[in-house]
Amino acid sequence: MNEPTNNIEQARLAALYQVSSQLGASLDLSEVLNQVMDAIILLTGAERGFLMLFDDLTGRLRTEAARNVDRETIEGESMQISRTVLQRAATTGDPILTSNAQEDERFSDQQSVIGYQLRSIMCVPLRARARIIGAVYVDNRLYSGVFKEADLELLGTFANQAAIAIDNARLFTQTDHALARRVEELTVFQQIDQQLNKSLELNQVLSSALTWAIALTTADSGSIGLLVETETGPALRLSVNTSAGGEPPRMAPADHPVLAQVLQEERSVYLEQVSEAESLDGRAAAVQLAVPIKRDGLITGLITLESRTPQAISDEDIAFVERLADRAAVAIKNARLYEDIHAANKAKSDFISVVTHELRLPMTSIKGYTDLIMSGMSGELNEQQKQFLGVIKRNLDRMSVLIRDLSDINRIESGRMQFEVGAFDVRDVVMEVVESFQEQAATKSQTLRVEIGEGDTAVSADSRRVSQVLTNLVSNANKYTPPHGDILIQVQPQAAFVQVAVCDTGIGISEENQAQLFNQFFRAEDAAVREQVGWGLGLSIVKKMVEAQGGEIWFQSTFGEGSTFAFTLPSANITRELE
Ligand code: ADP
């Protein structure tokens, strides 16, 4: 090697070192590609050049960067040979060099070689992670520099480093994209979950799931349906269909090809060129995707998506719809459970309605005749007969209370209880109820007092229901307070409410029992409770009635010392102001 060559060599190596050391500083793909292209031109002294990479999805080579030649020209007729050269290098992995394209039989008859007066061409593959990711191409015209073996070697060395830098940037961009997509998807799923679980109405849930599936994929239309049992076996009821308008749900039999395939393979099915007859929802499509909705490993429904554009549904779309189907399955399960509970509640409510109604009639008759016999109008009674009739009467009262309570609960729970809300002074109701209990309290030598606080005691509620609530609470205070105890009723006007409290010095409620107090049929085990007439329904009715009128109820109790039950009712003044 003579002196000048050595100098050139050194300069080249220095340049190579310099450009190479800059590579990898950035992870931005287009920046890296630009750096690479600049460095190639600098290192080879080429007039023009371009770089192509294999597209991950299509597998085809795509121009990613170019110098002194535009993309259109590269992709046009005139550069057919350059593309072929690059294609060859990229597929075989062999570098290509010609110092005299005009005479090289591989290129000499090519239009671009003649037209552009090409003399020198160089092309090397880009290799990273043991595979070829693309290739770079450079050329020179007749009158400018001619590429030699040393140039090819230099380009090859640089290309190896460039490929790694490009690959890293691509990986980073992909990871970055994937991460961004994942974050976006999680945010979307959060919204989807919220919306899916907001509604417990099955059709609403199905419709939301389908709307999301179409909105977040490139599908044009779709349908969602659940598997149901029919007389002729299982079938898919297409509950929501974006193209069906107001039509009633269509049924697709289980042996329909798409459905049968999903049922057999138990996974998503992707079909191309689907005719109207083949399509599950009667729509011809370029692509159709059918994703099963599974619950506990069993297919319970299907989401289908269609598009008139070929390749419109990507692998990512499929993965997304599959995840959506999993979430929809949970929401569908909840909605179905809710429907079942609703149906069971309705059945219970209907049953109670019938029973209480049917019991009332004979009870009235029994009560009427008992009263008649007791009055002595049907003949003189001896003491024992009177005593027996007394037992019958007390038990009749118990039964009437049960029938009344059951039918109250039923009406409240089914939303059939009417509240005639109006403004009245709660003091009047308190006084009436206290009056009605005077005798009962006196029999147990209990004091029954009322304390009215300062201020306006007018409330906006149903006076009959408030009287029922108060009667219940005072009755409990009377029942569960031993003789000589005190019962105090306080009326306390507050800002927007009037508070009514019933305090007693009775048996109190243990902490354990306090948690269950408002549950239906709950009664404490104490003998002092069990010797009193009751069904454990009063407090649950009271709570529902107070809440239905816009109030709240709570209690405070110490076992063995006494209890206070307090409730609020909206103040009539505030209600008036709001109106
Ligand atoms: P009932 O009085 O018919 O049993 P309630 O629903 O009115 O039904 O009350 C439920 C239970 O709560 C009672 O059985 C009793 O154990 C307890 N309880 C209610 N009020 C009081 C009270 N003032 N003092 C002590 N225990 C009470």
Side-chain angles (χ1 to χ4, degrees):
M1 220 179 270
N2 57 31
E3 192 62 25
T5 322
N6 209 10
N7 278 347
I8 295 171
E9 199 61 17
Q10 265 181 7
R12 277 165 177 267
L13 286 175
L16 178 65
Y17 173 76
Q18 228 227 308
V19 291
S20 305
S21 63
Q22 275 165 19
L23 281 181
S26 166
L27 279 172
D28 179 276
L29 184 60
S30 66
E31 203 179 316
V32 172
L33 287 167
N34 277 325
Q35 278 178 1
V36 168
M37 240 12 260
D38 287 340
I40 286 171
I41 298 291
L42 180 87
L43 289 176
T44 59
E47 265 183 281
R48 55 178 199 175
F50 63 92
L51 182 155
M52 287 179 120
L53 296 178
F54 284 112
D55 187 299
D56 272 348
L57 282 180
T58 62
R60 283 197 219 111
L61 281 163
R62 222 177 48 192
T63 314
E64 298 287 354
R67 286 295 175 270
N68 304 326
V69 55
D70 57 35
R71 225 166 266 247
E72 265 174 32
T73 315
I74 298 170
E75 271 144 38
E77 265 305 294
S78 66
M79 286 193 72
Q80 166 74 41
I81 178 65
S82 313
R83 289 203 310 273
T84 316
V85 169
L86 186 137
Q87 174 92 42
R88 196 183 306 158
T91 29
T92 61
D94 297 329
I96 295 165
L97 165 76
T98 178
S99 327
N100 195 345
Q102 300 288 330
E103 280 163 27
D104 190 326
E105 58 188 20
R106 290 179 296 177
F107 313 111
S108 55
D109 61 337
Q110 298 290 332
Q111 191 57 43
S112 56
V113 177
I114 304 159
Y116 195 70
Q117 293 199 309
L118 269 185
R119 171 145 188 199
S120 226
I121 294 173
M122 240 184 346
C123 191
V124 293
L126 291 165
R127 266 201 191 84
R129 286 187 292 153
R131 62 190 181 97
I132 302 171
I133 61 165
V136 283
Y137 169 98
V138 282
D139 61 23
N140 268 333
R141 270 180 277 195
L142 283 173
Y143 49 81
S144 52
V146 170
F147 299 135
K148 299 196 191 68
E149 275 299 331
D151 295 303
L152 186 68
E153 214 172 287
L154 190 70
L155 181 61
T157 313
F158 177 70
N160 285 340
Q161 295 179 31
I164 293 165
I166 293 171
D167 196 50
N168 281 345
R170 263 221 300 203
L171 263 181
F172 178 76
T173 315
Q174 275 167 7
T175 325
D176 210 33
H177 273 321
L179 196 68
R181 203 187 144 92
R182 195 84 190 102
V183 170
E184 191 188 342
E185 197 176 283
L186 284 176
T187 325
V188 166
F189 271 126
Q190 201 179 10
Q191 268 174 285
I192 293 177
D193 284 345
Q194 250 174 24
Q195 200 182 347
L196 283 182
N197 294 312
K198 197 170 72 187
S199 171
L200 279 170
E201 218 245 304
L202 190 57
N203 260 341
Q204 185 65 46
V205 168
L206 295 174
S207 165
S208 295
L210 181 61
T211 310
W212 280 109
I214 295 176
L216 295 176
T217 60
T218 37
D220 307 327
S221 56
S223 66
I224 188 166
L226 295 180
L227 279 179
V228 288
E229 266 310 315
T230 66
E231 281 168 12
T232 53
L236 186 75
R237 187 172 56 207
L238 292 163
S239 315
V240 194
N241 186 339
T242 50
S243 67
E247 280 174 34
R250 270 180 7 96
M251 293 292 244
D255 60 359
H256 184 286
V258 179
L259 186 54
Q261 196 180 340
V262 173
L263 288 176
Q264 205 209 333
E265 294 179 13
E266 297 188 344
R267 60 180 177 83
S268 306
V269 169
Y270 178 80
L271 300 163
E272 286 178 339
Q273 296 306 330
V274 186
S275 71
E276 242 171 68
E278 287 165 333
S279 157
L280 203 55
D281 33 10
R283 259 183 309 233
V287 281
Q288 185 175 49
L289 172 70
V291 175
I293 299 170
K294 289 186 188 172
R295 198 181 80 193
D296 305 328
L298 291 176
I299 297 179
T300 57
L302 199 71
I303 299 178
T304 61
L305 293 179
E306 293 97 29
S307 177
R308 285 177 295 274
T309 322
Q311 281 154 8
I313 298 172
S314 66
D315 286 350
E316 276 183 355
D317 285 342
I318 300 177
F320 167 76
V321 180
E322 282 174 349
R323 282 198 285 271
L324 176 71
D326 286 346
R327 291 170 132 92
V330 177
I332 290 168
K333 184 178 174 177
N334 289 344
R336 276 190 159 159
L337 275 177
Y338 180 75
E339 274 187 355
D340 291 351
I341 291 171
H342 208 65
N345 266 340
K346 167 112 184 26
K348 183 190 84 179
S349 160
D350 290 349
F351 174 75
I352 293 177
S353 265
V354 171
V355 170
T356 49
H357 182 78
E358 292 299 318
L359 279 176
R360 263 199 193 109
L361 216 64
M363 286 271 299
T364 316
S365 150
I366 298 169
K367 204 163 173 273
Y369 283 111
T370 313
D371 285 343
L372 194 77
I373 301 169
M374 275 182 108
S375 70
M377 280 169 77
S378 55
E380 200 59 29
L381 296 174
N382 61 34
E383 271 317 300
Q384 197 178 35
Q385 285 169 327
K386 278 186 193 162
Q387 199 193 329
F388 287 168
L389 281 173
V391 175
I392 293 177
K393 186 85 193 304
R394 274 197 302 283
N395 280 295
L396 277 174
D397 287 343
R398 265 170 62 93
M399 282 179 76
S400 315
V401 169
L402 176 63
I403 290 169
R404 189 203 61 206
D405 284 359
L406 278 179
S407 91
D408 272 351
I409 285 186
N410 210 24
R411 276 186 297 152
I412 295 175
E413 285 184 349
S414 61
R416 281 183 289 120
M417 180 169 275
Q418 307 248 320
F419 289 89
E420 285 161 29
V421 178
F424 64 93
D425 194 334
V426 77
R427 252 190 333 188
D428 298 341
V429 174
V430 170
M431 295 326 270
E432 270 169 38
V433 172
V434 166
E435 192 51 46
S436 70
F437 272 98
Q438 285 301 356
E439 208 183 304
Q440 251 171 281
T443 349
K444 283 182 92 174
S445 310
Q446 293 166 336
T447 58
L448 185 54
R449 289 184 305 122
V450 178
E451 253 178 37
I452 312 276
E454 288 260 318
D456 193 349
T457 48
V459 294
S460 173
D462 180 334
S463 59
R464 221 161 47 95
R465 301 290 178 206
V466 173
S467 168
Q468 208 176 327
V469 165
L470 204 56
T471 302
N472 232 305
L473 296 181
V474 176
S475 162
N476 280 351
N478 167 257
K479 285 196 294 187
Y480 305 119
T481 301
H484 306 289
D486 296 322
I487 300 169
L488 169 68
I489 297 147
Q490 292 173 312
V491 179
Q492 194 63 55
Q494 290 171 351
F497 293 93
V498 177
Q499 181 183 305
V500 181
V502 178
C503 322
D504 65 48
T505 55
I507 57 171
I509 304 149
S510 70
E511 269 183 39
E512 190 193 339
N513 287 341
Q514 288 185 11
Q516 304 180 66
L517 214 59
F518 290 112
N519 292 349
Q520 285 175 14
F521 297 106
F522 172 78
R523 305 198 76 205
E525 289 296 335
D526 321 19
V529 169
R530 294 299 159 134
E531 70 191 19
Q532 298 295 330
V533 174
W535 294 96
L537 290 172
L539 283 180
S540 74
I541 296 174
V542 161
K543 182 169 162 46
K544 289 191 171 90
M545 279 189 182
V546 169
E547 287 170 357
Q549 297 178 85
E552 273 183 74
I553 182 162
W554 66 97
F555 65 88
Q556 188 275 316
S557 181
T558 309
F559 190 57
E561 286 182 20
S563 318
T564 295
F565 284 83
F567 64 95
T568 53
L569 292 168
S571 155
N573 294 332
I574 295 290
T575 316
R576 251 180 249 131
E577 272 171 31
L578 287 177
E579 284 164 2

